[in-house]
Amino acid sequence: MADDDLVFKALADPTRRLLLDKLFARDGLTLTELESDLAMTRFGVMKHLRVLEEAGLVVSRRSGREKLHYLNPVPIRMIHDRWIDKYTERQATALVDLKTQLERES
């Protein structure tokens, strides 16, 4: 599966988006901290984290007996640059052109 497909698949699930939001708010969380607000089993959260890790959105590191999870925003930024930014550029250019045209007419 292509990298973009893995990222889109990972972002498609609301639970995984919630996990990313939690890591955005406070990076370096343990599995226990990540699962504390979720109404699912520890293994369910682990499955979601595995999908996020496969997509490169989460990286984990062992620190003693704990495994800490960190947000990696790079894949989301790459999606933004490829799929979102190019579409908004055209709209911004159109607004600048419209402004220029209206100023000429006044």
Side-chain angles (χ1 to χ4, degrees):
M1 190 177 285
D3 290 344
D4 285 355
D5 292 341
L6 292 173
V7 174
F8 280 117
K9 176 186 173 190
L11 293 174
D13 185 274
T15 301
R16 291 192 283 268
R17 291 191 305 268
L18 178 64
L19 290 170
L20 292 174
D21 287 340
K22 289 179 85 168
L23 290 173
F24 180 80
R26 184 172 150 239
D27 229 1
L29 295 175
T30 64
L31 178 60
T32 302
E33 293 169 322
L34 286 169
E35 72 174 323
S36 64
D37 298 334
L38 299 174
M40 66 173 47
T41 66
R42 185 174 185 85
F43 294 106
V45 175
M46 289 170 58
K47 285 182 178 183
H48 284 294
L49 284 171
R50 187 176 14 227
V51 172
L52 292 168
E53 287 177 350
E54 288 172 1
L57 294 167
V58 170
V59 292
S60 57
R61 179 177 60 83
R62 287 228 173 257
S63 177
R65 293 175 42 193
E66 295 181 320
K67 185 176 181 182
L68 303 176
H69 300 86
Y70 297 90
L71 174 67
N72 177 20
V74 173
I76 294 174
R77 181 58 196 222
M78 291 173 68
I79 293 289
H80 174 270
D81 290 348
R82 179 172 178 199
W83 293 101
I84 299 169
D85 209 29
K86 69 181 178 184
Y87 294 107
T88 58
E89 178 63 31
R90 186 178 316 143
Q91 294 168 345
T93 301
L95 289 173
V96 170
D97 291 345
L98 177 62
K99 178 184 179 288
T100 303
Q101 183 180 2
L102 290 173
E103 287 173 348
R104 276 190 220 143
E105 293 174 3
S106 320

